[in-house]
Amino acid sequence: MTRRPRLPLLVLALAFTLGGRALAQVPPPATSIPTLEGVTVSGVQPGPGLWRATRGDHVLLILGTLSPIPGNITWKTDEVDDALAHAGALILPPHTEIKPNVGFFGKLALLPTLIGVRNSPDGKTLEETVPADVYARWLAVKARYIGDERKVERYRPIFAAIELYKQAVKKSGLRKSGYITDAVVDMAKKHNVKQVPVDYTLLVDDPRAVVKEFKRSTLDDLSCFTQSVDNIEPQLAAMRERANAWATGDVTALRDESRAKQLSTCLDAATEGGLAQRIGLTDVPAQVRTRWLAAVDTEVAANTQTVAIVPLDDLIGPQGYLSALAAKGFKVESPDDGDASDKTAGGTP
């Protein structure tokens, strides 16, 4: 079975896994919120092609995945299938879990603590928590994407923002990209290619106390919520454009640095406080990256050709995996321009 990112038990990780990176700098609030118009590609599409990293006579071919992607495409798999037919190993997407460092009975005891963790700690509704003008704009976008659901009205603003994005993506012609990884794993099985997991588990001591502290903690919920409400339409448009770029293999558009410069307010609200630092949540990306690079070193040394699947947001950019490969002596080539080694070394593959 394909390893997929699991929602961690501790809700502190929700903002980390769902990615506050979907938020952009806040434009001046509009008096009315426009309805999103846009076209999502459909039919058979090639995807972005494979990045190629070589060291000596050994080759690493990397498929960058993106989520969400257009909902009505059929991915053309010929290139990846051929790559796997000649590969000795498939390095799976990095997989992160956050678990309580307790036994079975400790987990049972933790469950009551988790009840209501998404709700406002003081019992207030969103109408009582956020400014009236922001709440009025919330009602407009909520009606469009969530509907009459009342439960969300008692959520902390940060969780209401996450729910808004989840429901909006569902209604915008996009879908999660898990089936891309499933398809690659099926091809690896067909060719009897070894699958190499890249796992990292963060164990949290005294999780019951952590959850209680989280419930009492003050997050930057209001800023996160306001930006989500004001930016939902342009952000969905940006997601659609990037999804189309992935589907059609437009690597230039996928490299657009504006996404990297977007504010990550919701992510920061949950991961930059003292509690997150104390349990080690802020160290997770670096730990995962270290484990992925170690897997690459091992498999590339052992095999003439290796294939890897990596989320695109981890792959490109100044701190991306491609830049790390270039720093380790790999020659990195892009799917579209044939030689991106000079760009990866500079931080923009």
Side-chain angles (χ1 to χ4, degrees):
M1 181 179 292
T2 303
R3 291 169 174 260
R4 296 186 182 178
R6 293 171 51 188
L7 286 180
L9 178 60
L10 295 174
V11 291
L12 278 173
L14 271 175
F16 179 82
T17 54
L18 294 175
R21 289 175 289 189
L23 299 174
Q25 292 179 336
V26 184
T31 54
S32 63
I33 301 173
T35 301
L36 176 67
E37 298 291 343
V39 176
T40 306
V41 298
S42 60
V44 179
Q45 299 295 336
L50 301 176
W51 274 264
R52 180 184 181 92
T54 57
R55 187 162 63 186
D57 296 329
H58 298 255
V59 178
L60 173 67
L61 298 172
I62 307 171
L63 173 67
T65 59
L66 182 71
S67 192
I69 58 175
N72 294 317
I73 66 164
T74 300
W75 177 46
K76 195 168 185 279
T77 61
D78 296 6
E79 184 180 7
V80 176
D81 188 71
D82 182 68
L84 284 166
H86 299 90
L90 169 66
I91 301 176
L92 296 172
H95 173 253
T96 303
E97 287 189 87
I98 301 179
K99 291 183 175 181
N101 192 14
V102 294
F104 174 75
F105 291 105
K107 292 177 183 178
L108 287 181
L110 176 62
L111 291 178
T113 312
L114 293 172
I115 295 174
V117 74
R118 288 180 297 183
N119 292 349
S120 177
D122 53 12
K124 291 184 177 179
T125 64
L126 288 174
E127 185 175 12
E128 297 170 311
T129 303
V130 305
D133 60 329
V134 176
Y135 185 72
R137 299 198 297 276
W138 155 257
L139 289 178
V141 294
K142 179 194 172 190
R144 184 172 306 146
Y145 296 116
I146 300 178
D148 295 330
E149 172 64 56
R150 294 297 303 169
K151 184 168 62 174
V152 71
E153 291 290 331
R154 295 200 170 274
Y155 283 3
R156 291 184 79 144
I158 190 172
F159 291 112
I162 290 171
E163 184 66 18
L164 175 63
Y165 270 94
K166 277 176 52 182
Q167 298 304 323
V169 166
K170 286 182 182 179
K171 295 188 177 181
S172 63
L174 302 171
R175 63 169 167 169
K176 293 181 180 180
S177 63
Y179 87 97
I180 298 294
T181 298
D182 290 344
V184 176
V185 168
D186 287 343
M187 284 181 269
K189 291 178 180 178
K190 179 181 70 173
H191 295 297
N192 295 314
V193 176
K194 177 181 68 171
Q195 298 177 42
V196 180
V198 179
D199 294 335
Y200 177 69
T201 300
L202 174 64
L203 293 176
V204 178
D205 294 324
D206 199 0
R208 195 166 186 171
V210 170
V211 171
K212 287 182 178 179
E213 183 177 349
F214 175 78
K215 286 183 177 181
R216 296 192 304 265
S217 64
T218 300
L219 303 177
D220 191 9
D221 287 52
L222 181 56
S223 178
C224 165
F225 182 80
T226 302
Q227 291 191 50
S228 300
V229 168
D230 289 342
N231 285 328
I232 187 66
E233 300 292 353
Q235 285 306 311
L236 282 174
M239 286 182 192
R240 190 191 300 273
E241 290 174 4
R242 206 156 186 254
N244 286 347
W246 187 94
T248 59
D250 187 350
V251 177
T252 300
L254 289 174
R255 291 195 193 108
D256 183 359
E257 292 184 356
S258 62
R259 179 177 171 86
K261 294 176 181 176
Q262 291 172 349
L263 294 178
S264 54
T265 306
C266 284
L267 181 65
D268 293 344
T271 60
E272 289 192 351
L275 176 60
Q277 292 179 9
R278 202 155 54 249
I279 68 172
L281 187 60
T282 53
D283 299 330
V284 169
Q287 293 287 348
V288 171
R289 185 181 187 215
T290 297
R291 281 160 175 73
W292 186 85
L293 291 171
V296 166
D297 280 337
T298 299
E299 298 307 323
V300 168
N303 301 288
T304 303
Q305 181 162 298
T306 303
V307 177
I309 317 170
V310 179
L312 195 64
D313 288 338
D314 293 329
L315 190 62
I316 62 177
Q319 303 301 318
Y321 292 7
L322 290 178
S323 294
L325 290 174
K328 290 172 70 69
F330 282 85
K331 177 184 178 182
V332 181
E333 298 174 285
S334 167
D336 64 341
D337 63 12
D339 189 352
S341 57
D342 57 333
K343 294 182 180 178
T344 47
T348 309

